[in-house]
Amino acid sequence: MKYLHLPGICLLVLFTCAAASAQNKIPVNEPDLSKPKLFTNLPDRIPVDISILQSLINTEAGKNVSLKLGSNTAGSFSGEVVSKSDDNTIHSVVIRSGNFNGATLTLSSSTQPNGAVKFTGRIISFGHGDLYVLQNQNDQYILIKKNFYDLINE
């Protein structure tokens, strides 16, 4: 007489292992291309003076600041410095806007080994579909408008 208990148990364990999933599927967020634009009335490229960037970096937390954006009068990023960080070679500030809903300006400066100062930064709002990135082009700092999902991947 043949005993089928052992092959039956092995078959049951095999089906259980095949059906069990040890990892959960991670949901993929699709980009929301219908986010409203925040900077529609501002130009695509805004030159920024280095002295203005330096004065923003040196502003203490809790102070109100303003950065002129473009040539029109409505183009001013004003807000409060909510965070300031200083290191030997890296200085950083975060400014929360009072006039652009939900936007923050993050600005950092770093001193290179040759003594030159390099600035990086962006104006971003996670609830809107556009942002500005600070780039150095031909020794001139320019805020360049980009789409949110050109910079952020979800």
Side-chain angles (χ1 to χ4, degrees):
M1 174 170 209
K2 294 184 179 177
Y3 292 100
L4 298 177
H5 294 294
L6 184 59
I9 292 174
C10 289
L11 191 59
L12 181 64
V13 169
L14 179 68
F15 284 132
T16 304
C17 290
S21 176
Q23 298 177 357
N24 296 330
K25 300 262 185 207
I26 297 174
V28 177
N29 291 338
E30 294 295 323
D32 182 11
L33 300 177
S34 65
K35 284 185 175 185
K37 304 288 186 189
L38 184 61
F39 304 112
T40 54
N41 61 341
L42 295 175
D44 291 342
R45 299 170 58 86
I46 302 171
V48 182
D49 190 45
I50 293 175
S51 63
I52 293 172
L53 296 175
Q54 192 64 46
S55 68
L56 288 175
I57 284 289
N58 293 328
T59 305
E60 295 298 321
K63 301 282 184 175
N64 289 323
V65 294
S66 182
L67 172 65
K68 187 172 169 105
L69 301 175
S71 59
N72 60 3
T73 57
S76 169
F77 185 93
S78 59
E80 178 185 356
V81 177
V82 294
S83 174
K84 180 177 173 81
S85 174
D86 286 324
D87 194 354
N88 290 336
T89 58
I90 299 173
H91 306 284
S92 181
V93 293
V94 177
I95 302 167
R96 184 180 305 131
S97 177
N99 58 339
F100 288 105
N101 185 22
T104 57
L105 166 63
T106 305
L107 183 64
S108 298
S109 71
S110 60
T111 305
Q112 305 300 310
N114 63 1
V117 177
K118 178 182 174 187
F119 290 96
T120 58
R122 66 178 55 119
I123 301 174
I124 188 169
S125 170
F126 289 100
H128 294 88
D130 56 352
L131 55 92
Y132 277 101
V133 176
L134 184 66
Q135 293 182 350
N136 186 352
Q137 295 180 350
N138 300 327
D139 294 329
Q140 170 69 44
Y141 283 97
I142 300 173
L143 285 167
I144 298 176
K145 189 187 295 187
K146 295 191 180 243
N147 289 321
F148 182 81
Y149 289 106
D150 290 345
L151 187 68
I152 305 295
N153 293 325
E154 289 189 281

